[in-house]
Amino acid sequence: MAASLIKLIDASALNAALEAHRRYLRREPGGRRASLAYHDLSNCHLEGLDLSEADLTGAILRGATARQTRFNQAILYGVDLRDADLRRASLERADMRGACLRGANLAQARMVGCDLREGRAALQDRKDGYRLITHEKRAGDLDHAILTGADLSGAHLSEMGGVAADFRDAVLVGASLTGARMRSARLDGADLSNCDLAGADFTGASLRGAIVVGANLAAASTRGADLEGLLKAPPPIVYIDDRPLDALIRDHQLWCETGGLEGAFFSGAEVDFRSLKTLRGVSLTALTAQGAIFYGMDMTGAELQGADLTGADLRAVCLRGADLRGAKFRDARLTRADLSQAKLGPLDVGQGRLVRSDLSRACLRQADLSEADLTRARLIEADFEGVKIAGANLDLAEYDPLALDAA
C-alpha cells in the first residue's frame, strides 16, 4: 500500500477515539464509532479493548498487542496485522478480506464467520478519482500464522494463504477452504468437519488425527501430507462378536445395576462408540475401553467410576457432572471436553484403599474443568493449554503448578 495513504495519529487523539468508541458501544452521550481507516497503529497496545464494529480498513497494526481484544463485526478489510499478538481475541463475523496476518499469533482466537477471502479497496483521490489499492497479498494471508485452538467455524477462507501456518486443534467446522493454499501447514487434531475443501492445497501438510467427518479430502491436493489417524464418519452400527454395541452396553449397565449378578461386563478396546449417539447418564462403571473413540458424544452425568479410558479419543465430549472417580485417562485426548463439575477424586474400594483418577499425559487443551473435583488426581505431564479451571478442587492433586499457571 502506498505510504502516502497512511495517516499518523498521536496517543491523545487515539485515546480520544477509543473513548468515543467505548461510549458508542454503550450507547452513551458523546459516543462515536471509531474510524481509523488507513491509520498507522503499528505496535500499539490495544489489549483487552472492545473494538467491535470499528472501521480499521487498510490500517497498519503490525506488531500490535491485541490479546483478548474484541473485533466482532469490525471492518478489517485489507488490514496489516503481521506479527500482531491476537491470542484469545474475538473476531466474530469480522470483514477481513485481503487482510495480512502473516506471522500473527491467533492462538485460541474466536473467528466464527469471519471473512478472509480476496479483497481489494478503492480510495477516492482528488487528482485521479478512485484508485485501486493493491495489498501485499490478494487474499487473506495467514502464512506462518499461529492459530492453535482458534475457532474458525463457518469462516470464509477461500483462496486464503496459509502456508506453514499452525492450525493444530483449531475448529474449522463448516468453513470454506476452496482453493486455500495450506502447504506445509500443521493441522494436527483440527476439526475440518463439513468443510468445503475443493481445490485446497495441503501438500506436505500434517493432518494427524484431524477430524474430516463430512469433508471430501479427495477434492484437495494431499501429496506428501501426513494423514495418519484421520477421524472420519463413524459406521452406522458397530458389531462385536456378532452382537451390536448397544446390546453389549445394555448388558454392562445391567451388570453394574445388579452387582454382577446379571448382564455381562464389557471390554471394548479401540471401539468406536459414536454410533450410539449418546451415553448421557449411562452406568458404565469399570468399563475397559483403551483407545476407544467417543469424539463429540454427550456423556453428561455418566457413571464411569474405575473405568479404563487410557489413550481414548474424548475430544469435544460432554462429561459435565460425570462420576469419574478412580478412572484412568492416561494419554487420553480431552481437547475442548466439558468436565465441569465432574467427580475426579479418589474411588474408595474398601479396606482403606483408594484408587486415584489418573490423567497423566492427558491432553486437556481448552477443556473445561470448572468446579470439577480433582482431589488427589494424578495430572503429571498433562497439557493444560487454555484450560478453564475456575472453582476446581485440586487439593493434594499431582500436577505442575507452572504448567497450570501458564494456561
Side-chain angles (χ1 to χ4, degrees):
M1 189 185 298
S4 60
L5 299 176
I6 299 301
K7 307 167 190 175
L8 299 176
I9 185 169
D10 60 36
S12 60
L14 177 59
N15 288 335
L18 295 175
E19 173 58 22
H21 189 72
R22 185 189 69 81
R23 291 178 174 273
Y24 161 79
L25 292 175
R26 296 187 178 187
R27 303 301 185 258
E28 294 176 352
R32 185 174 63 256
R33 181 188 182 197
S35 181
L36 296 164
Y38 303 105
H39 279 72
D40 187 350
L41 303 173
S42 300
N43 302 306
C44 276
H45 182 72
L46 305 170
E47 188 167 301
L49 298 180
D50 191 347
L51 289 168
S52 299
E53 303 178 29
D55 184 359
L56 292 154
T57 302
I60 298 178
L61 285 93
R62 190 168 186 174
T65 304
R67 185 173 175 270
Q68 294 185 313
T69 301
R70 299 178 69 184
F71 293 99
N72 297 334
Q73 294 180 288
I75 302 174
L76 297 165
Y77 198 108
V79 71
D80 184 349
L81 282 160
R82 283 176 290 180
D83 302 320
D85 184 355
L86 292 154
R87 287 173 293 168
R88 301 191 185 185
S90 183
L91 297 125
E92 290 193 51
R93 298 185 299 282
D95 184 352
M96 303 183 73
R97 287 173 293 169
C100 184
L101 289 139
R102 189 182 182 91
N105 190 343
L106 290 140
Q108 298 175 47
R110 185 164 175 81
M111 302 172 72
V112 175
C114 72
D115 194 342
L116 275 155
R117 293 175 294 177
E118 180 177 351
R120 293 186 179 183
L123 184 71
Q124 191 171 16
D125 186 275
R126 292 180 181 177
K127 181 180 178 182
D128 301 321
Y130 279 92
R131 284 187 295 145
L132 186 68
I133 299 168
T134 304
H135 300 286
E136 290 193 24
K137 294 284 184 178
R138 70 188 184 109
D141 179 8
L142 286 165
D143 291 353
H144 303 281
I146 301 170
L147 295 110
T148 52
D151 189 346
L152 293 125
S153 301
H156 302 285
L157 307 169
S158 300
E159 306 296 332
M160 176 207 69
V163 175
D166 190 346
F167 285 90
R168 285 175 298 165
D169 295 319
V171 179
L172 292 138
V173 176
S176 174
L177 286 162
T178 56
R181 301 178 300 283
M182 307 287 281
R183 296 185 299 277
S184 300
R186 299 181 67 184
L187 294 117
D188 301 333
D191 192 342
L192 299 163
S193 299
N194 301 312
C195 272
D196 186 349
L197 304 176
D201 185 0
F202 292 103
T203 301
S206 180
L207 292 101
R208 294 173 66 90
I211 301 146
V212 292
V213 177
N216 183 12
L217 198 57
S221 174
T222 57
R223 185 178 59 182
D226 187 346
L227 306 177
E228 184 177 340
L230 287 180
L231 187 60
K232 301 179 181 180
I237 302 177
V238 173
Y239 287 91
I240 299 173
D241 295 331
D242 297 326
R243 292 199 66 202
L245 180 59
D246 60 347
L248 293 169
I249 292 299
R250 286 196 299 272
D251 281 352
H252 187 90
Q253 281 187 272
L254 186 58
W255 178 82
C256 293
E257 292 165 1
T258 62
L261 296 177
E262 298 181 48
F265 172 81
F266 174 67
S267 177
E270 299 185 3
V271 170
D272 192 336
F273 284 80
R274 290 179 293 164
S275 63
L276 300 179
K277 306 299 182 184
T278 181
L279 288 170
R280 187 183 182 95
V282 174
S283 296
L284 294 171
T285 302
L287 176 73
T288 301
Q290 303 100 326
I293 299 172
F294 297 91
Y295 170 78
M297 293 186 68
D298 182 2
M299 300 172 72
T300 304
E303 296 179 8
L304 287 155
Q305 308 94 319
D308 188 351
L309 298 169
T310 300
D313 187 346
L314 291 145
R315 289 175 290 175
V317 162
C318 183
L319 283 160
R320 183 180 178 86
D323 191 342
L324 309 172
R325 289 172 296 156
K328 296 178 184 177
F329 291 96
R330 290 193 299 265
D331 299 302
R333 289 179 287 178
L334 288 149
T335 304
R336 296 188 303 279
D338 184 353
L339 292 153
S340 58
Q341 300 178 11
K343 300 174 184 176
L344 282 153
L347 179 65
D348 188 345
V349 294
Q351 299 183 346
R353 293 191 299 167
L354 298 174
V355 178
R356 292 185 292 164
S357 298
D358 192 349
L359 293 95
S360 299
R361 299 181 302 280
C363 182
L364 290 157
R365 294 177 194 159
Q366 295 180 273
D368 189 351
L369 288 164
S370 304
E371 300 180 35
D373 182 7
L374 291 151
T375 303
R376 295 186 181 274
R378 292 173 58 83
L379 294 153
I380 299 169
E381 296 183 35
D383 188 342
F384 294 112
E385 185 179 338
V387 73
K388 298 176 183 176
I389 201 77
N393 183 359
L394 288 159
D395 187 34
L396 301 178
E398 292 183 77
Y399 66 97
D400 182 354
L402 293 178
L404 196 55
D405 290 344

